[in-house]
Amino acid sequence: MQPPETAPSSPQELLDRSYQIAGVTLGELAAMAQLAIPANLQRHKGWPGMLIEKWLGATAGSKPQQDFPELGVELKTIPIDQQFNPLETTYVCYAPLLSKPGITWQTSNVRNKLQQVLWVPLEGDRSIPLADRRVATAFFWQPNEQEDAILQRDWEELTEMIVLGDVEKITARLGQALHIRPKAASGNVLTDAMNADGERIRTRPRGFYLRTSFTGAVLHRHFG
DNA sequence: ACATGATCATCC
DNA sequence: GGATGATCATGT
């Protein structure tokens, strides 16, 4: 078995590819792809995601928007424990701190990214050596009406705070399903934002993340 | 610096 | 133990 060299031409082909690697360990996938396995993830935090991208035929690199633009599909690996509970929150996208006019939930990057997600759960318990962790069965997910409403409410609450110049009041405690946290290589990275008086300020870049309670519910809706 | 891929590590 | 805030690698 080898990684594909082309992008999948249909959602079904993408799903088929994910089934091909279900149950396989990350060590086996790395070996077949002739990739080195890091000793741990401390300095290779994105490694599992990159490995799965390669095996499903996502275009490499750090391009904006979805992983499979032609399919309208976003790929997300998610580390899980033995009960299929997520072990980490899920990064969605950067949070724009300089609001663009006319942006709504319907046109937001968050909604665009989450419109159609291929979830690929991976064994993530730190007690399992990285190479021994197995890929679980992937599945497509589209937010249902209720999930979309929750995400919309959170997004609107947080976006309103940014628009009102209250970005510094935002904490990760806000938001039922979606929240905002720093997202940067280090604490000294700064970007532009506005304060409540409309003045330019410098602040840490932020990202939108899905809480584990939300992704956990999504997983359990599919795996019971 | 921004954006991708995320997990780490500390605090509660 | 779990969530929050911080951080790591890489490419554009």
Side-chain angles (χ1 to χ4, degrees), chain A residues 30 36 41 43 45 56 62 70 127 153 158 222:
Chain A
L41 295 181
R43 308 192 76 86
K45 296 180 181 181
L56 296 183
S62 54
E70 292 83 7
S127 60
R153 196 177 58 200
L158 295 164
H222 285 269

Side-chain angles (χ1 to χ4, degrees), chain A residues 32-214:
Chain A
M32 290 188 287
Q34 298 186 315
L35 293 175
I37 305 167
N40 56 62
L41 295 181
Q42 290 182 12
R43 308 192 76 86
H44 301 272
K45 296 180 181 181
W47 186 79
M50 308 295 267
L51 179 65
I52 300 303
E53 274 189 352
K54 187 174 188 63
W55 274 96
L56 296 183
T59 50
S62 54
K63 298 167 184 170
Q65 303 313 306
Q66 292 142 325
D67 296 291
F68 301 97
E70 292 83 7
L71 307 181
V73 171
E74 174 74 9
L75 171 65
K76 289 293 181 195
T77 62
I78 183 167
I80 56 170
D81 65 15
Q82 297 195 31
Q83 287 76 236
F84 281 73
N85 296 123
L87 290 166
E88 297 287 349
T89 55
T90 301
Y91 172 69
V92 180
C93 61
Y94 257 78
L97 301 184
L98 295 175
S99 54
K100 296 165 185 174
I103 189 76
T104 66
W105 165 244
Q106 302 295 330
T107 59
S108 69
N109 204 1
V110 172
R111 188 163 194 265
N112 178 55
K113 285 274 178 86
L114 298 181
Q115 194 75 273
Q116 172 88 334
V117 176
L118 181 70
W119 291 104
V120 183
L122 310 174
E123 284 184 320
D125 276 314
R126 294 193 199 184
S127 60
I128 307 174
L130 184 59
D132 296 339
R133 298 180 192 176
R134 290 169 298 179
V135 180
T137 302
F139 64 95
F140 278 118
W141 169 74
Q142 292 182 266
N144 63 27
E145 202 172 299
Q146 182 184 2
E147 290 164 339
D148 190 78
I150 293 170
L151 293 168
Q152 175 173 2
R153 196 177 58 200
D154 291 341
W155 182 89
E156 289 176 345
E157 176 192 13
L158 295 164
T159 298
E160 172 151 276
M161 290 184 71
I162 294 172
V163 169
L164 294 178
D166 289 332
V167 62
E168 297 291 16
K169 291 182 184 171
I170 293 178
T171 163
R173 294 170 189 81
L174 296 172
Q176 178 184 335
L178 186 73
H179 66 179
I180 283 179
R181 308 212 303 278
K183 170 65 171 169
S186 75
N188 53 33
V189 174
L190 296 175
T191 190
D192 286 345
M194 292 289 179
N195 68 12
D197 296 325
E199 300 161 336
R200 192 191 73 113
I201 60 170
R202 302 283 284 167
T203 189
R204 301 183 335 286
R206 315 298 165 91
F208 283 107
Y209 296 78
L210 296 175
R211 292 188 183 280
T212 54
S213 56
F214 182 80

